[in-house]
Amino acid sequence: MRVGVLTGGGDCPGLNAVIRAVVRKGVQEYGYEFTGFRDGWRGPLEGDTVQLDIPAVRGILPRGGTILGSSRTNPLKADNGIRRIKDNLVKQEVDALIAIGGEDTLGVAARLADEFGISCVGVPKTIDNDLSATDYTFGFDTAVNIATEAIDRLHTTAESHMRVLVVEVMGRHAGWIALHSGLAGGANAILIPEQRFDLDQVCAWVESRFKIRYAPIVVVAEGAMPRDGDLVLKDGSQDSFGHVRLSGIGEWLAKQIESRTGKEARTTVLGHVQRGGTPSAFDRWLATRFGLHAIDAVRDGDFGKMVALRGTDIVRVPIAEATAKLKTVDPKLYAEVGVFFG
């Protein structure tokens, strides 16, 4: 059997660990051969491949990013996209495909499996941790650790100048990174997409900190919105999956806080630094286990499924079920941490 592997969507730490585990077990245990498709769905769409074998995956466990490259290519919107993918899989003699990605990448895999009969297995990847059916996605833990370290460092400079520091983290629709890093980093306010924020309340929290001579840190997810406002966009452009480019909520919020409170406010946008660099130990562990179980699903012919973490067990769930809705922060969980605001 020849198995294809691709990594789609935004890069994140742990992708290489999945590739390594899939190839190592597939070659050593099952005698499979592997073809890597470059740049997400662009690879099978255009027939752009690279040979994957054990020497090719040596030393990649601690590396961030992906040796296969990634993109936000949507083959469902390409001319004759499905036919081209099918033809290229036949041309490359690929019998099954392992798609490693988030909501968009796996959404394509679900349709290819359910509607077009392509043998696909999914592996959940996103730093946002917003895929339902799995307790955690790899990449999330690393992103939270990076954001937490940044918040720790910003506390000291904020206190030195007694100014407000607004930290913008990733999170388009789900505030998991903001919630976890904000709580771990001792933020005085955490603003997430799931809960529209009251600007007056945020300013009140800020002022309450200054009353005890404490410089406040406000953590805001890029998709957070004020109660009486809209998303702050970088521009009006969209990617092939219809996503607009978010950027600027942190800068907007800092200006609002400064004008309303009279306190100096600065912004730090962590951006892609959250997605880069070496994966944490947990993400290496989780990504490796996902890879091992993904190749087992291929061996079993259990296609149209995604591997998922439930407690400490790796299970298989329908890809369509895992991508049907996003996993967002429960209001009760958000309310729990409210005691630390202000």
Side-chain angles (χ1 to χ4, degrees):
M1 175 177 278
R2 178 173 290 275
V3 181
V5 183
L6 66 83
T7 54
D11 67 290
C12 81
L15 286 166
N16 287 323
V18 180
I19 298 168
R20 170 180 175 267
V22 164
V23 173
R24 283 284 297 273
K25 187 169 188 178
V27 172
Q28 293 176 192
E29 302 260 335
Y30 306 135
Y32 293 164
E33 295 179 327
F34 290 88
T35 294
F37 288 100
R38 290 190 174 99
D39 303 333
W41 287 113
R42 187 191 68 80
L45 192 64
E46 300 180 5
D48 191 357
T49 66
V50 60
Q51 188 71 20
L52 287 178
D53 53 21
I54 289 180
V57 300
R58 286 199 182 110
I60 68 172
L61 177 63
R63 286 177 56 183
T66 164
I67 62 170
L68 295 177
S70 191
S71 73
R72 297 191 183 278
T73 302
N74 184 352
L76 301 178
K77 290 189 175 181
D79 292 337
N80 298 313
I82 303 304
R83 172 52 54 194
R84 288 161 62 188
I85 287 177
K86 283 188 170 183
D87 288 346
N88 282 320
L89 292 179
V90 171
K91 183 178 179 181
Q92 298 294 333
E93 300 181 334
V94 171
D95 304 294
L97 189 61
I98 294 177
I100 310 166
E103 172 197 9
D104 297 324
T105 300
L106 295 183
V108 171
R111 290 197 59 186
L112 293 181
D114 295 343
E115 299 178 28
F116 303 103
I118 295 177
S119 301
C120 292
V121 169
V123 177
K125 167 244 57 164
T126 167
I127 67 169
D128 288 338
N129 197 40
D130 60 0
L131 273 177
S132 61
T134 184
D135 291 347
Y136 286 98
T137 55
F138 68 87
F140 172 68
D141 184 70
T142 303
V144 168
N145 284 328
I146 291 170
T148 301
E149 181 181 358
I151 295 167
D152 287 345
R153 292 176 179 276
L154 291 170
H155 271 294
T156 56
T157 185
E159 292 164 5
S160 296
H161 295 273
M162 288 305 291
R163 58 166 65 116
V164 185
L165 281 183
V166 177
V167 185
E168 182 182 314
V169 300
M170 287 185 168
R172 177 180 294 272
H173 300 297
W176 294 107
I177 294 176
L179 184 69
H180 282 240
S181 65
L183 181 62
N188 308 112
I190 302 170
L191 311 179
I192 61 176
E194 294 88 341
Q195 301 277 335
R196 285 181 175 260
F197 61 86
D198 183 334
L199 190 55
D200 290 333
Q201 179 63 75
V202 174
C203 290
W205 288 332
V206 165
E207 290 179 320
S208 72
R209 293 286 89 186
F210 280 109
K211 288 178 181 178
I212 59 172
R213 293 196 56 78
Y214 190 95
I217 300 285
V218 178
V219 174
V220 57
E222 62 185 350
M225 291 183 286
R227 184 171 296 170
D228 301 316
D230 298 310
L231 280 171
V232 178
L233 306 179
K234 187 176 184 64
D235 53 49
S237 63
Q238 298 183 356
D239 65 19
S240 61
F241 289 96
H243 299 310
V244 293
R245 297 176 66 190
L246 300 183
S247 179
I249 184 62
E251 189 66 32
W252 178 88
L253 183 60
K255 290 178 179 177
Q256 293 294 319
I257 291 173
E258 188 165 301
S259 66
R260 289 171 178 245
T261 66
K263 304 296 184 182
E264 184 183 6
R266 300 287 181 87
T267 307
T268 297
V269 180
L270 296 185
H272 288 77
V273 71
Q274 296 159 89
R275 296 212 314 229
T278 187
S280 67
F282 178 81
D283 278 340
R284 298 184 202 192
W285 173 87
L286 180 59
T288 297
R289 292 192 69 203
F290 277 162
L292 297 175
H293 284 261
I295 197 62
D296 283 347
V298 170
R299 176 204 57 185
D300 296 341
D302 198 6
F303 300 117
K305 299 291 182 63
M306 181 191 86
V307 292
L309 180 68
R310 297 279 178 83
T312 58
D313 295 328
I314 305 295
V315 300
R316 300 173 192 168
V317 298
I319 302 176
E321 173 188 320
T323 57
K325 65 177 182 178
L326 291 176
K327 180 178 67 180
T328 54
V329 176
D330 189 305
K332 292 181 180 179
L333 181 59
Y334 183 66
E336 278 184 6
V337 304
V339 67
F340 296 106
F341 297 172

